[in-house]
Amino acid sequence: MSSSSIPLFPIERTVRSHGILCTVGFLILLPIGVLVARYARNWTNRWWLGHGMIQFLISGPLVLGAFIHFVKFPSAFQGRRPPQNYFHAFLGLVILVLAAEQVHYGLYTEWLLTGNIHSIPPSAKHAWLALIIVFWVLYAAGLAFLPKQFKQEAKGRNGDGGKSTPLQNSNPGSTHNA
């Protein structure tokens, strides 16, 4: 509840709506898409469908960078992960860090510019912190699957037909293994 019985001013309602939408997009939807890729890729070769749907169809209007998924260098990097796969992971994590900071900035700095007649409830600040902690703990735990992922990718490169490599894209000719 607000600290005042005065209704929110129009600017406060706009800023609150903007903050809620950005928080949901950047701190809930994008991290869910990241975690789907981090975990599901170890059990199915269709992990990228869920990842792609969440990132492009749901979170897509918020984040650019689709070229990473479509620009490939298969001839230059035969049998290896192309560099854009690493760049994709790095860029995604940087976006999540920047998004977390943007929400923090909105909660602790920008809201004060509205006049701060209505203070932000502590529960909103606690929710921000909880979302950040939960995502990074889950992401770090998912890194434990990297050895399994790399073994599956190596099997796919060594010609077992991809039958035991859930990471391989089922699209012929594609090198998308990120």
Side-chain angles (χ1 to χ4, degrees):
M1 302 304 293
S2 70
S3 59
S4 171
S5 61
I6 301 170
L8 292 176
F9 293 109
I11 186 69
E12 290 174 317
R13 284 195 305 274
T14 301
V15 170
R16 180 186 62 186
S17 297
H18 171 78
I20 290 169
L21 288 173
C22 287
T23 299
V24 168
F26 283 108
L27 296 186
I28 296 174
L29 296 176
L30 281 176
I32 287 172
V34 168
L35 293 172
V36 164
R38 170 74 354 244
Y39 283 86
R41 68 184 308 139
N42 291 287
W43 288 278
T44 178
N45 64 348
R46 301 226 182 254
W47 63 269
W48 47 271
L49 289 173
H51 171 69
M53 289 178 67
I54 292 168
Q55 300 304 62
F56 287 110
L57 299 178
I58 299 172
S59 303
L62 302 175
V63 179
L64 300 177
F67 74 93
I68 296 293
H69 285 281
F70 301 108
V71 178
K72 302 295 176 194
F73 305 102
S75 61
F77 300 97
Q78 289 290 351
R80 301 275 185 230
R81 301 176 113 232
Q84 72 266 20
N85 290 17
Y86 296 103
F87 178 71
H88 174 93
F90 176 75
L91 177 63
L93 294 174
V94 166
I95 287 170
L96 291 172
V97 167
L98 293 174
E101 175 52 31
Q102 179 59 41
V103 173
H104 180 272
Y105 183 75
L107 287 171
Y108 289 88
T109 303
E110 284 187 1
W111 183 259
L112 298 176
L113 301 176
T114 68
N116 201 30
I117 293 173
H118 301 93
S119 62
I120 293 196
S123 61
K125 294 175 180 180
H126 295 150
W128 172 83
L129 184 59
L131 288 169
I132 300 306
I133 291 170
V134 166
F135 169 74
W136 288 108
V137 166
L138 288 173
Y139 188 82
L143 292 175
F145 293 113
L146 279 176
K148 179 179 181 178
Q149 174 186 330
F150 292 149
K151 285 178 189 174
Q152 290 170 330
E153 289 175 356
K155 284 181 184 178
R157 286 191 302 271
N158 294 332
D160 75 349
K163 291 182 175 121
S164 64
T165 55
L167 303 180
Q168 299 300 318
N169 185 336
S170 61
N171 294 335
S174 174
T175 60
H176 187 107
N177 292 330

